[in-house]
Amino acid sequence: MGTKVNIIVGSHVWAEEPDVAWVDGEVVKINGEEAEIQVANGKKIVQKLSKLYPKDMEAAAGGVDDMTKLSYLHEPGVLQNLATRYELNEIYTYTGNILIAVNPFQRLQHLYDSHMMQQYKGAPFGELSPHVFAVADVAYRAMIHEGRSNSILVSGESGAGKTETTKMLMQYLAYLGGRAATEGRTVEQQVLESNPVLEAFGNAKTVRNNNSSRFGKFVEIQFDKHGRISGAAVRTYLLERSRVCQISDPERNYHCFYLLCAAPQEELDKYKLEHPRTYHYLNKSNCYDLVGVSDAREYLATRRAMDIVGISTQEQDAIFRVVAAILHIGNIEFAKGKEADSSVLKDDKSKFHLETAAELLMCDPGALTDALCKRVMVTPEEVIKRSLDPYSATISRDGFAKTIYSRLFDWLVDKINSSIGQDANSKCLIGVLDIYGFESFKSNSFEQFCINYTNEKLQQHFNQHVFKMEQEEYTKEQIDWSYIEFVDNQDVLDLIEKETWWRYCTSR
Ligand SMILES: Nc1ncnc2c1ncn2[C@@H]1O[C@H](COP(=O)(O)OP(=O)(O)OP(=O)(O)O)[C@@H](O)[C@H]1O
């Protein structure tokens, strides 16, 4: 990493400091491989020479808008530049043709208004300040001129701002390729308005983000030969199913559960719902409300968004019946049955929740009890029904809840897609990939493992394009260059993708 320079007494350097990442100071003494540094806050620290990075004392006061303009391209230099710009509300910075966005955690309205859109339309890349609109503009213009589809990859840790960035990309693409609304709503309006519906069912509060997407999303915006939007499709990946049954403090389950519990009284009566703390799937965390968010208002907003994307009132009722049924299913408890390894409903409360769930799902309560308390095995010869003990019945109950929730989500995505409409004759498309972010906890679920693996795979794609292919090109053309060191994660991918590793994991 970075440029090799001689560090001597008097050099201004960056040194790693666990509490604040990096501190800067002046080298006052060198002892063999170690240097003593006088840090700006008056402290003196000792650090290995090999771990020090030179500080650019002539750096521009407001930072640089492209990292490639930095004198020293190392981690502290890059972070310092981002921090300097962030202080000035400059949240976007280029690294060549890649855009880095720092989450401002506040609405910077002036950055996204229609005047800004006009400015970026057709402006050569790099001529104006770094901006997410510039990235969308390049993708659009390249698509028009080269007649080829393009994709924009939005990546970053959870809470970094991927979904917000994706929305802005889509808004700008809608501005470039939008048509004047003649009859009803345009494709682009429908794509943008499908967001609140997807977020109500696929987003939740996590430790890091009050509105964290718990699914991956690839939005395809299709264009006709005149560069006008002609259709769109939303493809979703790997919804975090486990959240339906398992949450920990201070997280929340999917928003839709809380929205429904805050619905007008007549709806609560219809779905036989009470406060979220009544429900097993919600009361494993003490967090029920989000600061600054009214679930009652969000419920009405989601209903309106459903109207807009073409989900009928009857379908909306069916959707919320499933949501309510899941909450009731979670409250069904089991006790030991008379026969060995069998189970029955624990008490009248459980009976009430089972009957309500059956009524909401429009199925026979006896069949629902059987589905939860028995396992059906189909062999070539016969169909065997086996009773389940209370523990296994509880697992079966949770599996059932997760399955109907994820099918409801898939159904919603299909519904949104069919009402937006796809253009089978589309010439080109721009895809925006908003994959959910890398996270690492003390204990990580299999789902988290899959998410992190996907992020590693995307990182490799990035490495391939930015470093490997570029450097191969230099070698081929015999251009004099110095090799750029980068952390190649191919070993990690090889390990995960090897069949032997999977055999080892599954045999344990
Ligand atoms: N450009 C922005 N302007 C204003 N606020 C922003 C911006 N980007 C992000 N935020 C704020 O940060 C929060 C988290 O952003 P976002 O949901 O986009 O993160 P994410 O990277 O998609 O996270 P996850 O992977 O958990 O879904 C948003 O709810 C919003 O409050």
Side-chain angles (χ1 to χ4, degrees), residues 46-66:
V46 175
Q47 182 64 276
K48 280 198 176 128
L49 272 175
S50 59
K51 291 203 164 168
L52 296 180
Y53 296 98
K55 183 177 179 209
D56 181 9
M57 296 305 285
E58 272 136 47
V64 290
D65 61 3
D66 188 333

Side-chain angles (χ1 to χ4, degrees), residues 91-92 101-109 111-112 132 154-168 199 203-204 206 208-215 434-439:
I91 60 165
Y92 296 117
V102 181
N103 190 339
F105 281 110
Q106 57 174 305
R107 292 277 147 217
L108 300 173
Q109 221 59 51
L111 278 184
Y112 309 109
V132 65
V154 188
S155 105
E157 275 190 81
S158 179
K162 300 180 293 297
T163 305
E164 293 296 319
T165 302
T166 302
K167 285 187 222 167
M168 282 148 196
E199 289 190 6
N203 287 26
T206 63
R208 284 174 167 227
N209 184 356
N210 278 1
N211 188 28
S212 178
S213 316
R214 310 313 294 165
F215 63 101
D434 171 15
I435 194 84
Y436 50 2
F438 183 94
E439 276 176 309

Side-chain angles (χ1 to χ4, degrees), residues 94 120 123-126 128-139 141 172:
Y94 290 130
Y120 279 87
F125 191 80
L128 299 173
S129 304
H131 202 292
V132 65
F133 292 163
V135 174
D137 200 79
V138 169
R141 275 187 290 126
Y172 187 72

Side-chain angles (χ1 to χ4, degrees), residues 23-269:
V23 286
D24 60 320
E26 190 181 333
V27 175
V28 286
K29 206 193 275 174
I30 293 184
N31 270 334
E33 291 301 299
E34 286 184 336
E36 194 175 300
I37 303 136
Q38 175 76 56
V39 184
N41 63 8
K43 241 170 82 179
K44 271 191 187 157
I45 58 168
V46 175
Q47 182 64 276
K48 280 198 176 128
L49 272 175
S50 59
K51 291 203 164 168
L52 296 180
Y53 296 98
K55 183 177 179 209
D56 181 9
M57 296 305 285
E58 272 136 47
V64 290
D65 61 3
D66 188 333
M67 301 287 193
T68 57
K69 293 181 190 161
L70 288 175
S71 308
Y72 301 119
L73 201 55
H74 46 47
E75 186 178 314
V78 165
L79 292 178
Q80 167 73 10
N81 190 46
L82 291 177
T84 308
R85 290 176 61 75
Y86 189 71
E87 287 293 314
L88 303 169
N89 271 346
E90 298 279 2
I91 60 165
Y92 296 117
T93 306
Y94 290 130
T95 297
N97 53 9
I98 298 160
L99 180 76
I100 298 176
V102 181
N103 190 339
F105 281 110
Q106 57 174 305
R107 292 277 147 217
L108 300 173
Q109 221 59 51
H110 66 283
L111 278 184
Y112 309 109
D113 59 19
S114 55
H115 172 70
M116 261 320 202
M117 290 194 184
Q118 272 165 24
Q119 276 200 318
Y120 279 87
K121 188 174 176 178
F125 191 80
E127 194 177 276
L128 299 173
S129 304
H131 202 292
V132 65
F133 292 163
V135 174
D137 200 79
V138 169
Y140 180 80
R141 275 187 290 126
M143 177 190 76
I144 300 290
H145 295 142
E146 296 161 21
R148 281 198 311 171
S149 297
N150 260 321
S151 277
I152 303 170
L153 167 61
V154 188
S155 105
E157 275 190 81
S158 179
K162 300 180 293 297
T163 305
E164 293 296 319
T165 302
T166 302
K167 285 187 222 167
M168 282 148 196
L169 285 167
M170 292 195 323
Q171 250 152 21
Y172 187 72
L173 289 171
Y175 163 76
L176 289 182
R179 287 163 296 190
T182 41
E183 211 176 281
R185 304 191 93 81
T186 58
V187 169
E188 54 275 16
Q189 275 172 318
Q190 283 190 309
V191 173
L192 294 173
E193 280 153 358
S194 67
N195 274 327
V197 181
L198 284 178
E199 289 190 6
F201 291 83
N203 287 26
K205 180 203 181 313
T206 63
V207 179
R208 284 174 167 227
N209 184 356
N210 278 1
N211 188 28
S212 178
S213 316
R214 310 313 294 165
F215 63 101
K217 183 171 74 179
F218 184 61
V219 186
E220 281 182 23
I221 306 202
Q222 297 148 354
F223 294 86
D224 63 17
K225 59 178 190 297
H226 307 293
R228 296 266 164 222
I229 293 178
S230 55
V234 182
R235 318 220 177 272
T236 58
Y237 304 93
L238 200 76
L239 177 79
E240 186 187 40
R241 284 160 44 111
S242 59
R243 181 168 295 272
V244 177
C245 307
Q246 214 173 28
I247 48 166
S248 49
D249 210 41
E251 303 210 334
R252 288 210 318 178
N253 210 315
Y254 288 104
H255 296 325
C256 62
F257 293 112
Y258 306 87
L259 305 192
L260 187 56
C261 289
Q265 192 58 46
E266 68 267 22
E267 312 248 331
L268 295 181
D269 295 342

